[in-house]
Amino acid sequence: MTKILISIVGPTAIGKTALSIKLAQHYNTEIISADSRQFYKEMQIGTAAPTPSELASAKHHFIHHKSVEDIYSVGDFEKEVIKTLDNLFETNDIVIMVGGSGLYVDAVTKGLDEFPNVDPSIRISLNEVLSSKGIEPLQEQLKVLDPKSYETIAIENPHRLIRALEVCIGSKQPYSSFLTSKNKARSFKTFTIGLTAERDLIYDRINKRVDNMISEGLLDEVKSLQSKQKLNALNTVGYKELFKFLDNEWTLDFAISEIKKNTRRFAKRQLTWFKKNTDTLWFDYTINIEIVIKAIKDLK
């Protein structure tokens, strides 16, 4: 029997975790997380990681298995997930994968593209710009060199931003030009389920989620990581804004409003990325689980 990976995608705060758990329980299987921010054990509230009760509802992999101080690439993730899937498929015909990190999802389902080698000094100089002037000049540089990547990659993530820029500068070609449609051979089939809603509703859910994070203690979580704020893993939405408050650069209200704004922007880029996959079955976020199960059965 063909082994099947059910990949659940969609913008942040849309309800992917809840659907993944329902499907895992229905198929009596396990869940792979493809949310690159939920890898880090120190980042729980600000990444909307599954709660202890959710984690107990179905076995999860790649949740809180790394420290913010660890160096962990999308290539490492691809290798580890494929190995984990090989093991899981020995006893399961279906495995669930869930996450909003498009590059990490694609790494598992399609494999990573091959990029040219570039002069290491380019990355060093870009990191110097990041350190001295912040992330905005780098974002503007990518907008000029590769507008397509500017619209689709997580430009608030300095690691991915600098990776795209160093390829643009080193090869004198857009980073996006190296993104091919050649997929690696996989030993399983992937069915992709997308959850979505009207944009205003998505934005409202995001705003409410941020308010909930603040009430659950996000500021204390960020405060406990303040001494490590220069680490790449922590230069991300929900953390970088509150570091600005803790460093007396912004007021708390402004920092919270920036978290909401930047999360909304992130959700827009997520949808742009996931819409590229024309095979995705899209459902409204309120969809009944039985309809999703029937759609999966029809695909088989």
Side-chain angles (χ1 to χ4, degrees), residues 89-247:
F89 282 135
E90 288 182 7
T91 53
N92 298 274
D93 291 327
I94 293 175
V95 175
I96 312 298
M97 181 169 73
V98 60
S101 301
L103 181 62
Y104 286 73
V105 172
D106 285 358
V108 174
T109 60
K110 303 175 183 178
L112 293 173
D113 291 292
E114 298 294 330
F115 291 95
N117 293 322
V118 297
D119 187 337
S121 66
I122 297 173
R123 179 178 295 187
I124 292 170
S125 63
L126 291 170
N127 274 308
E128 287 173 353
V129 172
L130 177 66
S131 179
S132 62
K133 299 180 180 178
I135 200 168
E136 289 81 7
L138 299 177
Q139 292 171 335
E140 289 303 313
Q141 188 176 7
L142 183 65
K143 190 175 185 178
V144 172
L145 295 177
D146 188 357
K148 187 175 179 181
S149 288
Y150 177 83
E151 290 296 329
T152 55
I153 72 166
I155 58 169
E156 77 286 344
N157 182 314
H159 178 76
R160 292 189 210 168
L161 179 63
I162 287 173
R163 177 59 179 148
L165 276 172
E166 69 178 355
V167 170
C168 291
I169 296 167
S171 68
K172 295 183 170 56
Q173 297 179 63
Y175 173 81
S176 56
S177 69
F178 294 98
L179 302 176
T180 71
S181 57
K182 296 177 183 176
N183 297 344
K184 288 183 183 176
R186 296 301 194 208
S187 62
F188 53 86
K189 286 181 67 175
T190 300
F191 297 161
T192 304
I193 304 297
L195 290 182
T196 191
E198 293 295 326
R199 181 166 293 180
D200 287 348
L201 200 149
I202 294 172
Y203 288 177
D204 184 59
R205 288 174 67 87
I206 286 169
N207 293 339
K208 287 177 179 174
R209 172 181 275 187
V210 173
D211 288 336
N212 287 338
M213 287 176 174
I214 295 299
S215 65
E216 288 169 6
L218 177 58
L219 183 56
D220 287 335
E221 181 172 276
V222 175
K223 200 176 291 184
S224 72
L225 294 165
Q226 190 174 7
S227 64
K228 301 176 182 178
Q229 64 179 282
K230 297 297 183 184
L231 295 174
N232 272 341
L234 290 166
N235 198 325
T236 187
V237 178
Y239 294 81
K240 62 180 182 177
E241 296 88 354
L242 289 176
F243 286 138
K244 292 272 191 182
F245 163 67
L246 293 172
D247 292 339

